[in-house]
Amino acid sequence: MAEISALAFKWAGEHLLLLDQRKLPDEEVWLKCETDEEVAKAISAMVTRGAPLIGITAAFGIVLAAKQAKRKGLSIQSELERASQVLINARPTAVNLSWAVKRMMNIAKQFQHLPEDKIVGRLEEEAIAIYREDCEANRRIGEYGAALLPENCKVLTHCNTGALAVSDLGTALGVIRTAYRQGKVKFVWVDETRPFLQGARLTAWELLKEGIPFKIIVDGAAAWLMQKGLVDAVIVGADRIARNGDVANKIGTYMLAIAAKRHNIPFYVAAPISTLDISLPSGDQIPIEERNENEVLSWHGVRIAPKDARAFNPAFDVTPAELVKAIITDKGVAFPPYEDKLVKLVHSD
Amino acid sequence: MAEISALAFKWAGEHLLLLDQRKLPDEEVWLKCETDEEVAKAISAMVTRGAPLIGITAAFGIVLAAKQAKRKGLSIQSELERASQVLINARPTAVNLSWAVKRMMNIAKQFQHLPEDKIVGRLEEEAIAIYREDCEANRRIGEYGAALLPENCKVLTHCNTGALAVSDLGTALGVIRTAYRQGKVKFVWVDETRPFLQGARLTAWELLKEGIPFKIIVDGAAAWLMQKGLVDAVIVGADRIARNGDVANKIGTYMLAIAAKRHNIPFYVAAPISTLDISLPSGDQIPIEERNENEVLSWHGVRIAPKDARAFNPAFDVTPAELVKAIITDKGVAFPPYEDKLVKLVHSD
């Protein structure tokens, strides 16, 4: 039985352990998931997060569902149908989630004639393959992206796109890590990324571990730093990229892209090929998750706003392709106009 | 002895009571200041805040310094020289602070031949006049600004520019209040305004009191709301406006102005004439306060970021005049190009 011990999750064959990212950087608490419902709940509550990582996590959720069906003597195929819906519905915006679940379901269908043991084994192999491919994708994204950055670069990033969001190096943070190791990136500005503070809590935690120099800023300060000449490039991840190159990513990304455009600062998006949704002609069709208002109104159980105040909490926004200098994938870099290139990348080997 | 009981401060002749805005909306705690040093400390620590309000507060700080000098048998003129430096140094960006202190010092100089009692009385009258004029300025700004807004308007604002930031109605929030009473403003989007959360804590508190419908958003969500057609106008206050119309205001304002420009949404600035600094040719010369990084790294004593993480915390940014649709003052509205108009407004009666 293959075991996986990644920064954000551990798999040892019978359950999935997820690092509870809501509790970072204060505590490192691991949550044990034994069923697909528990995995879906953990994704929905943002115990685990990051588009590629929720794809990997959901794949293991399917494995858990198959194992449970076998134990309980239920039909694997119908249990997987149920589990796939539960998992896909956990969060709507990141397409990696449904991408991974569909890939797992294809395996289940393809091998449905095999004995149950074999189906389960084949599903587990596939989940592990999704993880391993993402590790490799991270490495390639890192190399492709680092090549685009200038020497002595001060880079600004939003949200967390590191090992806590993917399998390994990271997407945007993988590019930053790789470019730092090459001596190209000198400094990182970390958007704190309200409301969930993935930048201040998670990206800062990863950068500290690696010794990469950085400072945290409030999200509203990014344009001012650009005006002061303190930012050479912006690089972010993505939760879904439409065929025309429109990019859904963490709320605040669009505003950052507008500011970068004004200052002629290159704005890069880094994501594995599983983030491309070429079935959608443009970003208009990407479903944007609206999360609970309490994520804005409270922090760590402490209410910020007056008792009767309400909030609106869209978790993502869509950055139009025209603001994106390049999309860095594990299969290569696409420059505008994106449509043909993205379709080609998806279909290439 | 004239008494003043405003929302954010009380003056009863011997001391200044300041509503501790750091503790809102949880508690309404009043801080007693008996010396200019205490007033300066309260301004510096943001017990009290808002460009016009720190001007008014500093004027009463000068009165307290004069009263103390008289009690202690010290020279009023030299004590006021000392106090004026202490107060002006409390915060660098809002010009209303030095404007009010200089106005008080002119009075001290003008009446230096009078007996001490009279000088003190004259200073107190002047501080009260500064307050009263600001109330009147608020009313005028409200009227001028409301006239610019369209019917059925959804307005977005940043920071707090209400009765907690000025004497009375507010500057940008005064415009919103006035337009709401006229039935023009239907809804307000409130930027939470990191790091100090003046929007989520203070503007929300004021809007709730008045029953004006609103929702809080994270600062990074503003551009997305604009793209979705949910914002008809943006209106903010100012801490200092240079002769060419460049506007220093709370960090995040510049990013908001860039986003508004992209969406062809009018971006208005509302401020009393005391916020204009026509001695500065452009915003480049406005000193931008850098505040303690812990305002970003912690909230309510709870650390957000990892222990060794650092932050950069500029409190203000400068929005270039070209992004500002109009500057609404108590002496009238200026449209671009601003230079001649702002100079004329300052010198008009």
Side-chain angles (χ1 to χ4, degrees):
Chain A
M1 184 73 59
E3 297 200 357
I4 297 172
S5 183
L7 185 65
F9 78 96
K10 294 184 200 297
W11 173 255
E14 292 310 317
H15 58 256
L16 187 66
L17 287 175
L18 296 174
L19 180 58
D20 190 342
Q21 299 195 25
R22 300 168 306 180
K23 302 218 159 79
L24 289 176
D26 304 329
E27 300 174 86
E28 295 183 27
V29 177
W30 291 83
L31 187 81
K32 188 174 177 175
C33 297
E34 295 179 301
T35 66
D36 54 278
E37 284 97 343
E38 286 171 357
V39 172
K41 227 165 128 183
I43 291 171
S44 179
M46 294 174 73
V47 169
T48 200
R49 40 147 300 281
L53 183 57
I54 64 179
I56 296 166
T57 308
F60 285 105
I62 291 289
V63 178
L64 290 173
K67 292 195 172 189
Q68 203 186 12
K70 186 172 151 266
R71 255 197 323 273
K72 292 189 176 173
L74 301 171
S75 147
I76 286 193
Q77 298 300 329
S78 64
E79 273 301 284
L80 291 192
E81 283 300 336
R82 181 199 52 71
S84 70
Q85 283 316 305
V86 168
L87 287 161
I88 286 174
N89 289 335
R91 293 192 75 188
T93 302
V95 75
N96 317 64
L97 179 56
S98 58
W99 171 88
V101 169
K102 283 177 197 155
R103 183 165 154 178
M104 295 296 285
M105 294 304 282
N106 282 341
I107 292 295
K109 207 164 284 170
Q110 195 185 331
F111 295 100
Q112 57 184 325
H113 58 281
L114 294 183
E116 284 188 341
D117 257 8
K118 299 270 182 202
I119 302 177
V120 171
R122 194 57 202 77
L123 285 169
E124 188 169 354
E125 280 168 32
E126 192 69 11
I128 291 169
I130 289 175
Y131 162 73
R132 295 236 164 99
E133 288 168 23
D134 194 62
C135 293
E136 179 55 25
N138 283 191
R139 257 182 298 279
R140 289 188 187 181
I141 289 169
E143 293 294 333
Y144 287 131
L148 296 175
L149 296 179
E151 300 291 330
N152 290 314
C153 183
K154 287 186 285 296
V155 107
L156 189 150
T157 190
H158 192 69
C159 199
N160 172 268
T161 58
L164 291 169
V166 296
S167 55
D168 189 15
L169 268 183
T171 53
L173 207 56
V175 172
I176 290 171
R177 278 196 164 102
T178 307
Y180 177 74
R181 289 171 193 169
Q182 294 173 357
K184 276 179 139 183
V185 160
K186 294 295 182 196
F187 191 83
V188 184
W189 294 109
V190 176
D191 261 4
E192 63 170 1
T193 317
R194 282 284 292 154
F196 208 64
L197 296 166
Q198 289 95 334
R201 297 188 302 113
L202 309 179
T203 300
W205 190 73
E206 290 199 41
L207 292 175
L208 274 175
K209 278 187 184 236
E210 194 129 351
I212 300 177
F214 73 94
K215 278 192 178 176
I216 298 165
I217 54 167
V218 298
D219 304 327
W224 179 237
L225 267 60
M226 292 176 188
Q227 195 182 92
K228 289 284 150 193
L230 299 171
V231 180
D232 301 309
V234 178
I235 180 159
V236 300
D239 289 80
R240 194 184 300 219
I241 300 173
R243 196 166 67 223
N244 71 342
D246 289 352
V247 175
N249 192 46
K250 183 55 50 204
I251 192 75
T253 302
Y254 174 43
M255 210 145 167
L256 203 52
I258 299 171
K261 181 77 166 187
R262 180 179 167 90
H263 296 93
N264 284 316
I265 292 169
F267 182 88
Y268 297 113
V269 173
I273 214 78
S274 58
T275 308
L276 297 181
D277 185 354
I278 57 167
S279 75
L280 298 185
S282 81
D284 295 343
Q285 289 88 39
I286 299 176
I288 297 297
E289 177 180 14
E290 190 184 327
R291 293 185 61 85
N292 193 294
E293 64 183 347
N294 289 327
E295 290 181 355
V296 176
L297 299 170
S298 300
W299 181 246
H300 262 326
V302 180
R303 181 89 180 180
I304 289 165
K307 193 169 66 67
D308 295 323
R310 307 290 312 267
F312 176 53
N313 184 20
F316 302 94
D317 58 27
V318 176
T319 298
E322 48 146 333
L323 300 178
V324 179
K325 175 94 172 178
I327 295 174
I328 305 156
T329 80
D330 46 309
K331 290 186 173 180
V333 179
F335 294 95
Y338 289 109
E339 181 138 350
D340 291 350
K341 288 157 200 164
L342 294 181
V343 172
K344 253 182 224 154
L345 283 179
V346 167
H347 292 131
S348 70
D349 284 325
Chain B
M1 186 72 59
E3 297 198 356
I4 297 172
S5 183
L7 185 64
F9 78 96
K10 295 182 199 297
W11 173 254
E14 292 310 318
H15 58 256
L16 187 66
L17 287 175
L18 297 174
L19 180 57
D20 190 342
Q21 300 196 26
R22 300 169 306 180
K23 302 217 159 78
L24 288 177
D26 305 329
E27 301 174 86
E28 295 183 26
V29 177
W30 291 84
L31 187 82
K32 189 175 178 176
C33 297
E34 295 180 300
T35 66
D36 54 277
E37 284 98 344
E38 286 170 356
V39 172
K41 226 165 129 182
I43 291 171
S44 178
M46 293 173 73
V47 168
T48 200
R49 43 147 296 283
L53 183 57
I54 64 179
I56 296 165
T57 308
F60 285 106
I62 292 288
V63 178
L64 290 173
K67 291 195 172 188
Q68 204 186 11
K70 186 172 150 263
R71 257 198 321 275
K72 292 191 176 170
L74 301 171
S75 146
I76 286 194
Q77 298 299 331
S78 64
E79 273 302 283
L80 291 193
E81 284 298 339
R82 181 198 54 72
S84 70
Q85 282 316 306
V86 168
L87 287 161
I88 286 175
N89 290 335
R91 291 193 76 188
T93 303
V95 75
N96 316 63
L97 179 57
S98 59
W99 171 87
V101 169
K102 281 177 197 155
R103 183 165 153 179
M104 294 296 286
M105 294 304 283
N106 283 341
I107 292 296
K109 206 163 285 170
Q110 192 184 333
F111 294 100
Q112 58 185 326
H113 58 280
L114 293 183
E116 283 189 343
D117 257 5
K118 300 270 182 202
I119 301 177
V120 171
R122 194 56 202 80
L123 285 169
E124 188 168 355
E125 281 167 33
E126 192 69 10
I128 291 167
I130 289 175
Y131 162 72
R132 297 238 162 97
E133 288 167 23
D134 193 62
C135 293
E136 180 55 24
N138 283 192
R139 257 183 298 280
R140 290 188 185 181
I141 289 169
E143 293 295 333
Y144 287 131
L148 296 176
L149 295 179
E151 299 293 329
N152 291 313
C153 184
K154 287 185 285 296
V155 105
L156 189 149
T157 190
H158 192 70
C159 200
N160 172 268
T161 57
L164 291 169
V166 297
S167 56
D168 189 12
L169 268 184
T171 52
L173 207 57
V175 173
I176 291 171
R177 280 197 163 100
T178 306
Y180 177 75
R181 289 170 192 170
Q182 294 173 359
K184 279 181 138 183
V185 160
K186 294 296 180 194
F187 191 84
V188 184
W189 294 109
V190 176
D191 260 5
E192 63 170 0
T193 317
R194 284 281 294 152
F196 208 63
L197 296 164
Q198 289 95 335
R201 297 187 302 112
L202 310 179
T203 299
W205 190 74
E206 290 198 43
L207 292 174
L208 273 175
K209 278 188 183 236
E210 194 129 350
I212 300 177
F214 73 94
K215 278 192 179 177
I216 298 166
I217 54 167
V218 298
D219 304 326
W224 179 237
L225 268 61
M226 292 177 188
Q227 196 182 94
K228 290 283 148 195
L230 299 171
V231 180
D232 301 308
V234 178
I235 181 158
V236 300
D239 289 80
R240 192 184 300 220
I241 300 173
R243 194 165 70 224
N244 70 342
D246 289 352
V247 175
N249 192 45
K250 182 57 49 203
I251 192 76
T253 302
Y254 173 44
M255 211 145 167
L256 204 52
I258 298 171
K261 181 75 165 189
R262 178 178 168 90
H263 296 93
N264 283 315
I265 293 169
F267 181 89
Y268 297 113
V269 173
I273 213 80
S274 57
T275 308
L276 297 182
D277 184 353
I278 56 167
S279 75
L280 298 186
S282 82
D284 295 343
Q285 289 88 38
I286 300 176
I288 297 297
E289 178 182 12
E290 190 185 327
R291 292 187 61 85
N292 191 295
E293 63 182 348
N294 288 326
E295 290 181 355
V296 176
L297 299 170
S298 301
W299 180 248
H300 263 326
V302 179
R303 181 88 180 182
I304 290 166
K307 193 170 63 69
D308 295 323
R310 309 288 313 265
F312 175 53
N313 184 21
F316 303 94
D317 58 29
V318 175
T319 298
E322 47 144 336
L323 300 179
V324 180
K325 175 94 173 179
I327 295 173
I328 305 156
T329 79
D330 46 309
K331 290 187 174 179
V333 179
F335 294 94
Y338 289 110
E339 181 138 351
D340 291 350
K341 288 156 200 166
L342 293 181
V343 171
K344 253 184 223 155
L345 283 178
V346 167
H347 293 131
S348 70
D349 284 325

